[in-house]
């Protein structure tokens, strides 16, 4: 299992790119470190719906951040875009799923982890699932 880089080191790795505005970075870090599972979405995004339904189906109640309803949505979107790039994931920016404070990935990564059986252990480790 490829271990997800935690946010700070992932950001630090992005030496060529522009740093995210500090306030937005802090906001995202606060959100993902304070909640076992966080899903960044845009309302009306089909794959966001799919990933939420998958998590609900597993018994997880993720924290959902809708970027189009968030004042900092545009800047968070830019930050997530960079995270995907750092991980070389050619996936849509949303949904972006964080588990246990770490960036797991987008729809393809979450589905792949679900299929290969690593998603549930990850969710348990993060305290998002008890059984
Ligand atoms: C499961 O899939 C994820 C996402 O593609 C991958 O990073 C991980 O290495 C895989 N783990 C196993 C045990 O196959």
């Amino acid at each position: 299992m490829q271990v997800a880089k935690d946010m700070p080191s992932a950001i630090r790795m992005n030496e060529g790119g522009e740093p995210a505005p500090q306030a937005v970075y802090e906001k995202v870090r606060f959100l993902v470190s304070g909640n076992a599972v966080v899903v960044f979405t845009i309302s009306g995004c089909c794959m966001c719906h799919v990933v939420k339904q998958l998590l609900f189906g597993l018994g997880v109640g993720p924290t959902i951040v809708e970027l189009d309803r968030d004042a900092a949505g545009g800047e968070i979107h830019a930050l997530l875009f960079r995270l995907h790039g750092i991980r070389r994931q050619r996936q849509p920016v949303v949904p972006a799923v964080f588990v246990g404070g770490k960036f797991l990935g987008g729809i393809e990564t979450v589905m792949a982890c679900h299929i290969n059986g690593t998603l549930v252990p990850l969710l348990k480790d993060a305290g998002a699932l008890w059984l």
Side-chain angles (χ1 to χ4, degrees), residues 1-3 108-110 112-114 116-118:
M1 163 96 206
Q2 184 189 340
V3 178
E108 286 175 32
T109 307
V110 172
C113 289
H114 180 51
N116 75 15
T118 55

Side-chain angles (χ1 to χ4, degrees), residues 1 5 16 25-26 28 36 40 47 64-65 70-71 90 95 100 107-108 116:
M1 163 96 206
K5 289 272 183 303
Y25 171 76
E26 289 300 331
V28 170
F40 291 90
M47 286 304 128
I64 293 163
V65 182
D70 191 297
R90 291 201 183 78
I107 183 71
E108 286 175 32
N116 75 15

